Amino acid sequence: MTDTVAQPKTSLRGSPDRLKTSIAAGIGTSVENYDFIAYGTASALYFGAVFFPEEDRFIGTLLSFATLAVGFLMRPLGGAIGGYMADRFGRKPVLVAAMIVMGGATFCIGILPTYATVGVLAPVLLVLIRMIQGLAFGAEWGGAITMAYEHAPANRRGMYAAIPQAGNPLGIAMASAMFVFSAGLEGDWQWRTPFLLSAVLVIAALFVRSRLSESPEFEDAKASGKTVKNPFLSAWRNDWKSILRVVSLRIVESFTYYSTATYLLNYLSERFPDIRPLALGAITAASLLAIFVTFAAGSLSDKVGRKPLYIAGCIAAMAFAFPMYLLTNDAVPALVVLTFVIGIGVIHATLTGVQGSLLTEQFGTATRTSGASMGYQIAASVGGFAPLIAALMVGAIGWPGASLVVLLAATIGLIGILTTRETWGKAERQRVAEALAVEEAR
């Protein structure tokens, strides 16, 4: 018997399942974000009073944001585990497993007893479940983005990788809309309902993801023996600079979002309780806009490169750091809506739209999920403290403290992108266009 050489499955034109894979990744990402963001919204609006003593509302708020941050601390570990498994055994199993774990944890939050019922056991259970959420969410992103990217045509990877990224604002919009709906319910149902109903979304997403085909690039790497035994260690040994680069690029996006959607929401709700429904509605509207801006930014990056758009997003975040509070300090409804739309729907969406391809292109196939996931989730673990840091800064020097937090994060992001090599410049675009012409002529 003679050995046969496995034929490559990859094509510059992408796989036949490229669109289905990207959409399925986006649906799953939207559900994962719904689950994770629902916690952030509940932390800003309810958990300070529900799970912590009410003697000092400010301390309750800080503790609520601290439990929010615990989930972010677990995300690098989730990213390490998920990245290792995806690079070693395949992208698809990680996506399914992460969905199951996240869905179960989120449902459990909806049935938790409160502090008034069981005392200190309530916040302990909340923290434990939040840790599980963090693990699942950390494992999710790298696999979803890598699947979409590796199934995509070589000249449209920015667009296809932006589809699961667009799942982020879709999940945010669903979570915000659900909290707007549940605000009209009685008692604890105001915060329990969004968590309980996530079970329906998880079942639907699991059905879609279970029908995906594995990444053709991973299958080729596996067939040709180009996978590595320990992708986690290999990524840190050979690509540690790229991992740190991803951290710097992600910091600006993470801080921009959580400073706006979580801390600013809490800031306004504490001072103007009647503005809460409007603010939630504004976040929902901004997130719906962000779906389209995210996709548009990813698509545009295929034509002009990744760096120009990311530089623009960082500069916009720097410029908007102080106006976002100047516009909302008097709770003028139109200005509140405008602030959330700009912060989430335009600035944050532009950054996330480019990230899918930009961050993935920092690594090769063998360690792509591990490297990108680790950098992405380390930054997320830092960004998770944005509301807590903002609250402490505002307590110390007033609202400008929150603006300084955003300004610093945006500056780090700008430095990061200015020192990052363009991964899809004019030369790369021309080379791929010529190769595609040759492949299509065969």
Side-chain angles (χ1 to χ4, degrees):
M1 180 182 296
T2 59
D3 293 334
T4 59
V5 178
Q7 294 299 311
K9 298 180 180 180
T10 54
S11 165
L12 290 174
R13 289 172 288 182
S15 79
D17 294 336
R18 54 189 179 272
L19 183 59
K20 180 178 74 174
T21 299
S22 293
I23 292 175
I27 291 172
T29 301
S30 68
V31 176
E32 292 270 357
N33 273 272
Y34 172 96
D35 290 351
F36 205 72
I37 298 304
Y39 190 102
T41 304
S43 294
L45 300 180
Y46 300 107
F47 284 176
V50 171
F51 287 101
F52 301 98
E54 295 187 16
E55 287 79 8
D56 189 326
R57 190 62 179 271
F58 177 68
I59 296 299
T61 298
L62 290 180
L63 290 173
S64 178
F65 284 149
T67 61
L68 172 70
V70 166
F72 287 89
L73 287 177
M74 299 302 294
R75 285 176 62 168
L77 179 58
I81 295 172
Y84 175 91
M85 300 297 290
D87 285 333
R88 191 78 175 87
F89 304 107
R91 323 306 196 195
K92 178 180 173 179
V94 174
L95 297 186
V96 175
M99 181 64 63
I100 294 172
V101 175
M102 175 64 91
T106 302
F107 183 82
C108 286
I109 292 176
I111 61 175
L112 275 179
T114 65
Y115 186 88
T117 304
V118 297
V120 72
L121 179 61
V124 170
L125 290 174
L126 183 67
V127 169
L128 289 175
I129 295 175
R130 181 61 176 171
M131 292 171 69
I132 295 172
Q133 268 197 326
L135 285 172
F137 199 62
E140 152 71 20
W141 180 85
I145 292 297
T146 301
M147 279 281 278
Y149 181 89
E150 292 178 347
H151 275 273
N155 62 339
R156 302 180 72 187
R157 284 180 159 174
M159 184 192 79
Y160 278 86
I163 293 176
Q165 287 291 80
N168 295 341
L170 177 58
I172 294 166
M174 291 191 298
S176 299
M178 185 56 68
F179 274 96
V180 171
F181 163 76
S182 66
L185 301 178
E186 295 293 330
D188 284 354
W189 290 111
Q190 291 183 340
W191 64 267
R192 291 188 188 278
T193 300
F195 294 102
L196 295 175
L197 289 183
S198 72
V200 178
L201 301 176
V202 169
I203 292 171
L206 275 174
F207 175 77
V208 173
R209 282 194 168 181
S210 65
R211 301 167 68 87
L212 292 179
S213 59
E214 183 55 84
S215 158
E217 280 197 30
F218 174 79
E219 294 283 19
D220 278 356
K222 184 178 179 180
S224 60
K226 293 181 180 179
T227 57
V228 294
K229 185 175 182 180
N230 194 324
F232 173 79
L233 292 180
S234 180
W236 276 109
R237 183 183 302 114
N238 302 318
D239 295 314
W240 63 270
K241 291 182 180 179
S242 295
I243 294 175
L244 295 181
R245 189 176 296 115
V246 169
V247 172
S248 68
L249 295 174
R250 176 84 208 287
I251 283 287
V252 53
E253 176 261 313
S254 186
F255 268 76
T256 297
Y257 177 76
Y258 287 104
S259 293
T260 307
T262 302
Y263 181 72
L264 183 58
L265 173 62
N266 174 265
Y267 176 86
L268 291 173
S269 298
E270 289 287 325
R271 286 155 182 77
F272 309 99
D274 292 341
I275 206 74
R276 178 184 295 178
L278 176 71
L280 283 170
I283 293 174
T284 303
S287 298
L288 290 173
L289 173 63
I291 296 171
F292 301 99
V293 175
T294 299
F295 181 78
S299 300
L300 185 58
S301 76
D302 285 330
K303 301 181 183 301
V304 303
R306 320 299 187 204
K307 284 188 70 170
L309 288 173
Y310 216 82
I311 290 171
C314 292
I315 292 174
M318 295 174 68
F320 198 57
F322 284 89
M324 66 188 290
Y325 285 91
L326 291 171
L327 290 170
T328 56
N329 272 332
D330 294 326
V332 177
L335 296 181
V336 169
V337 172
L338 179 64
T339 298
F340 282 111
V341 166
I342 294 174
I344 297 173
V346 179
I347 298 174
H348 179 258
T350 298
L351 294 169
T352 56
V354 182
Q355 276 183 357
S357 52
L358 174 64
L359 304 189
T360 304
E361 287 167 350
Q362 306 301 314
F363 306 91
T365 304
T367 59
R368 180 171 289 149
T369 314
S370 296
S373 291
M374 283 304 301
Y376 190 91
Q377 303 303 347
I378 289 172
S381 70
V382 178
F385 284 90
L388 180 61
I389 297 170
L392 291 171
M393 290 290 288
V394 170
I397 63 174
W399 68 263
S403 296
L404 289 173
V405 172
V406 176
L407 182 62
L408 176 60
T411 302
I412 292 173
L414 182 61
I415 294 172
I417 188 61
L418 289 176
T419 56
T420 296
R421 180 185 65 83
E422 174 63 83
T423 55
W424 188 239
K426 185 176 180 179
E428 288 86 354
R429 299 196 297 272
Q430 181 63 34
R431 175 179 56 79
V432 169
E434 292 173 355
L436 270 168
V438 171
E439 184 174 311
E440 290 173 357
R442 291 175 181 170

